[in-house]
Amino acid sequence: MTIYYVNSATGSNTNAGTSADAPIASFWAVENLKLQPGDSVLLAAGTVYNDQLDLKYSGTVAAPITIGSYGVGDAPVITSPNDGIHSLYASNIVIENIKISDTGGAAIYGGYVSNWTIRNVEVDHTGLSKSGSITFRTGSNLTIENSTINDVNGDGIWVEKFNGVTLLNSTVTNAHGTTADAVQINDSSNIVISGNYLDQTGAITPKGVLALIRPADAVVEGNTLIGGGFGITAQAGTNVAIHDNDISGYGGYSWSYAIGLGDQGDTRNYEIAGNYIHDGAWGVAVSAAGTTTYVREGIEIYGNLFDDLTQAALKVDRPASGSFHDNFIASDVTPYSISPSIIAAGTFPVSDNTIVEEGPTTFASADSLAAADASVSLGAHHDNPIWENGISDETLLLRHFGKAAVEKHGSTFGNGDHGVTIEADDLAGPENGSEISHHEITPQPLHHSEADPLIVSILQHGMLH
């Protein structure tokens, strides 16, 4: 396990490179090293490399090959007329603590590889002559974490035919192009996308934010997605969970949606829960561009909050089975748009949703709301699923007020009814005239749930409103 030091400013390719005092100078010398498992290639802080780095050798799972940095100062920068880092068939690789910018092609390209980790990498202004940023085709076990991608041409992250894709705590902003998404993952499985900030509001003619095409066993949770023609398109998937995301600012097309599914193939077993969907067009759309017959089954949509939408919270215009229940819908949002034939078939019941009658500051941040001598009492039956993934453990309803009010005040759970009391200054002052009420918005016919509805009341100065 050897550490090789590279310094484009002070190094020489006649050096062995095994000491920071005698580094090698260029990627040409690195590519001739015949790297072994456990070896590290460290680029000096503050240096620039105007060439493509080709990785030809593999590490092992226990001893990967690492490309990183050393010294104090700005991250070393790779800039290239081609790709920044390019690899075919090399596996067990770690790329960390570097910057890649102004490349003609992709920042990082990997084909037929496995067990790659990209962490704390900054990508900026890539794909100048051939669209690309971080691109992987065919392989397994790719992790991208704590990295930033900005102002690139083409998709920010593009992955195809991978088993095992993990994207954690990273930021992708402004992936430009009519076919560009912040993240697109095709024909892949065992996908986890969590804790990321994906923003397309400054992109030039973007397509969308997150595109999952034919995913299998995917979890998308705790992300912020802004802008684009859509928030999440998750087409033709199997076993897909979309939980606790904040999706907003999407639009530009009559079909624009926060979460869309049902096109491009059979769709089975989706759980869409705990998301805050706002400032866009459609909420959740189960739809398709044509008339091709696909299976759309097991689509459960619950515990979400819909606000400031120009179209309905739910759209179902193709044959589908599932349910839409225990969601929170602002009073100025149309609850659903479901084809009459689907309503008649009773395959997609709508029940037990809560209409939020909002005043002028109901959805403002907690810091901007007037304090009041009041409290809000939220109660629900123990088997109401909203408490499993909505208010109780994910604090959906109040998360957008700027405080996790349920966490702040605590809650009691048992085998019977349970609830939580929240001070009204966590919500809105009485002068706003705001209230939250439960309304049945069920299409007929339906199979109505017998579970007790969520009871939401406002208690002020000892009086129930």
Side-chain angles (χ1 to χ4, degrees), residues 165-434:
V165 180
T166 301
L167 175 61
L168 299 175
N169 304 322
S170 293
T171 297
V172 183
T173 53
N174 302 335
H176 306 294
T178 56
T179 63
D181 306 305
V183 177
Q184 179 162 343
I185 300 174
N186 297 343
D187 299 298
S188 296
S189 58
N190 296 308
I191 301 164
V192 175
I193 300 174
S194 179
N196 303 286
Y197 180 86
L198 311 176
D199 186 349
Q200 288 285 72
T201 55
I204 301 171
T205 63
K207 180 160 67 76
V209 181
L210 173 60
L212 302 177
I213 309 300
R214 294 173 294 276
D217 303 311
V219 176
V220 181
E221 63 180 7
N223 305 283
T224 297
L225 301 95
I226 307 175
F230 57 80
I232 301 172
T233 184
Q235 304 296 343
T238 303
N239 300 328
V240 177
I242 301 174
H243 295 163
D244 307 307
N245 303 283
D246 187 324
I247 308 171
S248 68
Y250 55 92
Y253 304 98
S254 61
W255 51 262
S256 290
Y257 47 71
I259 300 172
L261 56 147
D263 200 0
Q264 303 187 34
D266 293 343
T267 297
R268 294 183 171 92
N269 302 330
Y270 277 56
E271 184 179 71
I272 299 171
N275 301 286
Y276 178 29
I277 295 171
H278 58 106
D279 300 288
W282 298 96
V284 178
V286 184
S287 186
T291 58
T292 304
T293 300
Y294 294 129
V295 173
R296 303 174 185 89
E297 63 184 16
I299 301 166
E300 299 298 320
I301 305 166
Y302 64 91
N304 304 283
L305 173 61
F306 300 91
D307 182 32
D308 286 331
L309 303 181
T310 60
Q311 304 293 336
L314 172 68
K315 176 183 181 180
V316 184
D317 65 2
R318 296 294 187 274
S321 68
S323 65
F324 183 78
H325 63 91
D326 295 287
N327 298 284
F328 293 85
I329 305 170
S331 60
D332 60 351
V333 173
T334 301
Y336 62 87
S337 175
I338 302 178
S339 296
S341 60
I342 299 172
I343 293 175
T347 60
F348 218 105
V350 175
S351 63
D352 295 318
N353 295 287
T354 298
I355 298 298
V356 180
E357 304 287 351
E358 55 177 312
T361 60
T362 298
F363 294 126
S365 66
D367 291 340
S368 67
L369 301 177
D373 182 15
S375 64
V376 177
S377 177
L378 306 180
H381 195 268
H382 71 279
D383 59 0
N384 191 332
I386 186 69
W387 286 86
E388 296 175 7
N389 289 290
I391 296 175
S392 66
D393 52 7
E394 299 298 342
T395 65
L396 164 71
L397 178 62
L398 303 176
R399 183 172 58 203
H400 63 289
F401 292 114
K403 292 183 180 179
V406 172
E407 290 182 345
K408 174 181 175 182
H409 294 277
S411 57
T412 303
F413 304 99
N415 294 322
D417 291 345
H418 52 261
V420 58
T421 298
I422 301 163
E423 295 303 318
D425 60 3
D426 287 334
L427 299 179
E431 68 275 14
N432 295 319
S434 304

Side-chain angles (χ1 to χ4, degrees), residues 35-40 57-60 63-67 92-95:
L35 297 171
Q36 299 297 308
D39 286 353
S40 295
Y57 302 100
S58 296
T60 64
I65 291 172
T66 299
I67 308 299
N92 304 297
I93 303 292
V94 174
I95 311 292

